[in-house]
Amino acid sequence: MLVTGASTGIGRATAVRFAAEGANVAINYSRKTAEAEETARQCQAARTRGGREIIVKGDVSDEAQVKAAFAETLARFGGLDVLINNAGIQKESPSDEVEMADFDRVLGVNMRGAFLCAREALHHFVALKKPGVILNNSSVHEIIPKPGFVSYSMSKGAIENMTRTLALEYAGRGIRVNTVGPGAIVTPINDAWVHDPKARANVESHIPMGRVGQPGEIAAVFAFLASDEASYITGQTLYACGGMTLFAEFRENWAS
Ligand code: NAI
Ligand code: BGC
């Protein structure tokens, strides 16, 4: 299996979870080699059922780098059965002041990058006439608008339609495509509130379960969706968000 953006956060936790299950894990990263090596070290430590990990560098928004990362993974593992499109970034700005370079970068990584990797995985599955699984990391912001993050919201909305389109197009060939929609998870993307008790309490006030999530709780959903336990599920987004998509603000009767 290959997981993109696996040098930190949810991607790292997912790589470690799959390593614990005995999978061969390709750890993709784009910038900090030391972080990818730490993921590899944690994968090794988690293994009790064999398998091995490799590190494959590549910016998911760059076609040539994606092709190279897949070629290296296929050459070293001899095949691929699961892709997890996890890499993602966000940039905050009032929508009327968005810099188009930032907009293009967010869509380039979150949307174009996810499709480039999905396309490479599909090439492989189709060429070998073999079943496969493609999973995407979206967000509650696939459906909850996120003011100040319009490019991020747009990119995650696009993931839903990519999931449904690819799932429909390839269902007859044994290829399943699904998405996980996490809520607020303790990872580096959330450094702004993770280490600030007041900001964190504000985030938690929007979550019906009253707490933020841990990366391992998202990795577990990826493990389920990749497994045969999910053999009849395709084209879906499974939200793992402590109920955030249920709109915490409406938990008390307010209108009648
Ligand atoms: P993170 O910032 O730790 O992880 C993002 C990873 O993507 C990093 O390792 C980063 O280096 C990598 N990345 C960025 N650009 C890349 C590129 N061009 N090519 C390859 N890798 C690249 O944060 P987190 O939370 O683990 O994010 C992972 C995914 O989860 C993202 O898609 C994010 O949108 C999504 N997500 C996170 C939530 C959260 O609350 N932490 C909630 C909902 C979704
Ligand atoms: C964002 C996080 C945010 C979470 C819940 C994620 O998609 O990347 O910054 O905390 O959604 O709103």
Side-chain angles (χ1 to χ4, degrees):
M1 63 91 66
L2 185 153
V3 53
T4 67
S7 54
T8 58
I10 295 169
R12 171 182 285 169
T14 302
V16 172
R17 171 64 194 254
F18 277 73
E21 306 274 353
N24 283 337
V25 179
I27 298 163
N28 162 257
Y29 79 106
S30 61
R31 287 188 307 130
K32 296 187 181 164
T33 307
E35 289 180 345
E37 287 170 351
E38 173 57 20
T39 299
R41 195 196 59 72
Q42 291 187 22
C43 284
Q44 268 169 30
R47 289 192 185 283
T48 54
R49 299 190 217 170
R52 66 191 174 99
E53 52 285 322
I54 60 172
I55 294 175
V56 287
K57 188 169 187 189
D59 177 338
V60 296
S61 70
D62 182 302
E63 183 176 14
Q65 292 185 40
V66 168
K67 280 178 180 282
F70 272 80
E72 185 180 351
T73 302
L74 293 174
R76 293 176 68 187
F77 283 161
L80 182 78
D81 46 10
V82 177
L83 163 68
I84 300 191
N85 273 319
N86 166 77
I89 56 172
Q90 61 187 8
K91 296 223 184 276
E92 183 172 14
S93 166
S95 294
D96 57 299
E97 291 173 13
V98 165
E99 295 286 345
M100 290 317 290
D102 289 343
F103 181 91
D104 290 344
R105 186 67 189 149
V106 172
L107 272 292
V109 174
N110 299 7
M111 184 182 76
R112 184 174 199 271
F115 178 67
L116 275 174
C117 293
R119 191 187 63 167
E120 289 309 302
L122 288 166
H123 270 153
H124 174 66
F125 300 152
V126 169
L128 270 64
K129 291 192 169 58
K130 59 180 265 187
V133 173
I134 296 174
L135 303 176
N136 306 299
N137 195 344
S138 165
S139 169
V140 289
H141 300 298
E142 181 178 309
I143 53 168
I144 301 176
K146 194 172 189 199
F149 291 83
V150 70
S151 55
Y152 188 75
S153 298
M154 290 171 73
S155 71
K156 298 302 187 178
I159 292 294
E160 182 192 21
N161 218 327
M162 182 181 82
T163 301
R164 289 167 58 80
T165 301
L166 297 182
L168 182 57
E169 192 170 340
Y170 293 93
R173 283 176 262 190
I175 297 168
R176 295 190 298 106
V177 185
N178 288 297
T179 287
V180 180
I185 311 300
V186 177
T187 71
I189 209 172
N190 285 325
D191 275 347
W193 58 254
V194 164
H195 309 292
D196 174 347
K198 210 168 147 197
R200 185 170 173 145
N202 181 41
V203 171
E204 288 176 336
S205 74
H206 292 80
I207 305 170
M209 285 179 70
R211 67 170 178 86
V212 295
Q214 296 299 325
E217 294 181 285
I218 305 306
V221 186
F222 281 123
F224 163 66
L225 285 173
S227 76
D228 289 343
E229 298 295 309
S231 57
Y232 207 44
I233 301 176
T234 198
Q236 306 301 311
T237 296
L238 181 44
Y239 290 100
C241 62
M244 201 184 248
T245 53
L246 306 174
F247 304 107
E249 286 73 11
F250 297 107
R251 71 188 115 192
E252 308 292 342
N253 178 27
W254 60 281
S256 50

